[in-house]
Amino acid sequence: MATVQVSEAEKVYIMHGVRDDLRVDGRGCEDYRHMEIETDVVSNTDGSAKVTLGHTAILVGIKAEIRKPRPMVPDEGYLEFFVDCSANATPEFEGRGGEELGTELSNTLYKVFNNRNSIDLRTLCISPGEHCWVLYVDVLLLQCDGNLFDAISVAVKAALFNTRISKVHISEDEEGGKEIELSDDPYDCMRLNVENVPCIVTLCKVGHRHVVDATLLEKACSVASLLISVTHRGTVTCVRKVGGGSLDPESIFEMMETGKRVGKALHAPLMEVLQKEESLGNKRQKVGFLG
């Protein structure tokens, strides 16, 4: 994880601001930074999205491929995650510096998204026990300024919303074998229902309070963080504690309640933005270096 050096005087200043619900950049403790979302930004993928949260920038691309289902769940498809920490994001990621963080992010994303409560994986099954769709989700960290988990979860949900999977037609040959034909019509495709796909809310304990969407400076003043994945109904699907410090039961309860409230409020405007952008079609204005 990218880190910054903070003096004792700066820590005191930041912690006193958090105590008074006034952070260094003027936000309250439960406020996110400005977020920009753009979908369909990579042409050679089945779904893609770019999310900018403050100075944190994430690019997600999804490719769908036909594979054999897993033996334990022969009637379901599945997702595979790979996170690449670009050296452009921070010098700490040069060489193999970002491998450990990439693995940690991939494992967390797998727990949050690759389950029946997130996506109906049965819709990815083509023929039980024989063929299914596998979604390869590639995440690229372009810039790093704190709160990676939240930004990546929003980008993954946006990319899944944008994903279009070709319709499959199965026919039998003269010998009884199955032949798979993919539709050539770009409009004859399957869309994923992302209504239940959760978003991750990271809460950092700073002093005696906790903050949402911490910057690198605030992260340096935090003793521990709590990752909470929340659905649009406010249901918690995954909880994970990160950081070397400890959290008392009362703090965990307060952070859980805040995470559920913030996470639930995040879904409605996110889906509204995604649907509005899709309705514009080719008229929408592309921004950023991918425009």
Side-chain angles (χ1 to χ4, degrees), residues 12 17 26 57 60-61 63 111 119 121 133 145 147 149 157 171 186 215 237 243-244 262 268 284:
V12 171
V60 174
K63 288 288 287 184
K111 291 178 182 178
I119 297 176
L121 298 175
W133 285 108
D145 186 31
N147 204 19
F149 287 98
K157 180 163 183 170
S171 58
T215 62
T237 61
V262 173
R284 68 187 178 93

Side-chain angles (χ1 to χ4, degrees), residues 137-279:
V137 184
D138 293 318
V139 180
L140 176 62
L141 273 60
L142 300 173
Q143 285 181 276
C144 183
D145 186 31
N147 204 19
L148 293 177
F149 287 98
D150 296 30
I152 290 175
S153 70
V154 171
V156 169
K157 180 163 183 170
L160 288 171
F161 175 84
N162 179 245
T163 298
R164 291 167 171 80
I165 303 174
S166 300
K167 284 284 183 68
V168 177
H169 304 283
I170 300 178
S171 58
E172 290 191 3
D173 55 24
E174 296 177 354
E175 299 177 356
K178 293 183 178 179
E179 292 184 353
I180 296 178
E181 295 181 3
L182 298 181
S183 175
D184 295 331
D185 187 352
Y187 296 100
D188 184 23
C189 59
M190 178 182 71
R191 302 291 298 273
L192 298 172
N193 182 4
V194 299
E195 184 182 26
N196 291 324
V197 173
C199 288
I200 298 175
V201 179
T202 304
L203 298 111
C204 294
K205 185 74 179 294
V206 180
H208 296 291
R209 298 193 64 174
H210 48 267
V211 298
V212 171
D213 186 24
T215 62
L216 287 178
L217 282 173
E218 292 169 332
K219 182 73 175 175
C221 303
S222 172
V223 293
S225 302
L226 202 64
L227 306 180
I228 306 171
S229 65
V230 188
T231 67
H232 70 292
R233 294 190 178 93
T235 305
V236 176
T237 61
C238 181
V239 178
R240 182 174 170 231
K241 181 253 178 191
V242 294
S246 60
L247 295 171
D248 58 88
E250 185 179 352
S251 294
I252 294 175
F253 177 78
E254 292 176 356
M255 294 167 84
M256 290 279 289
E257 292 300 310
T258 301
K260 287 193 285 186
R261 183 170 62 253
V262 173
K264 185 177 179 180
L266 180 63
H267 284 277
L270 172 59
M271 292 303 298
E272 184 180 342
V273 167
L274 293 175
Q275 291 165 357
K276 182 179 179 181
E277 187 185 44
E278 185 180 50
S279 66

Side-chain angles (χ1 to χ4, degrees), residues 93-124:
F93 293 161
E94 289 184 3
R96 302 180 65 176
E99 279 191 8
E100 185 177 344
L101 175 61
T103 302
E104 179 187 354
L105 290 167
S106 299
N107 292 339
T108 302
L109 293 174
Y110 187 85
K111 291 178 182 178
V112 171
F113 292 103
N114 195 42
N115 58 74
R116 295 181 182 179
N117 298 322
S118 175
I119 297 176
D120 187 2
L121 298 175
R122 289 171 295 185
T123 61
L124 299 176

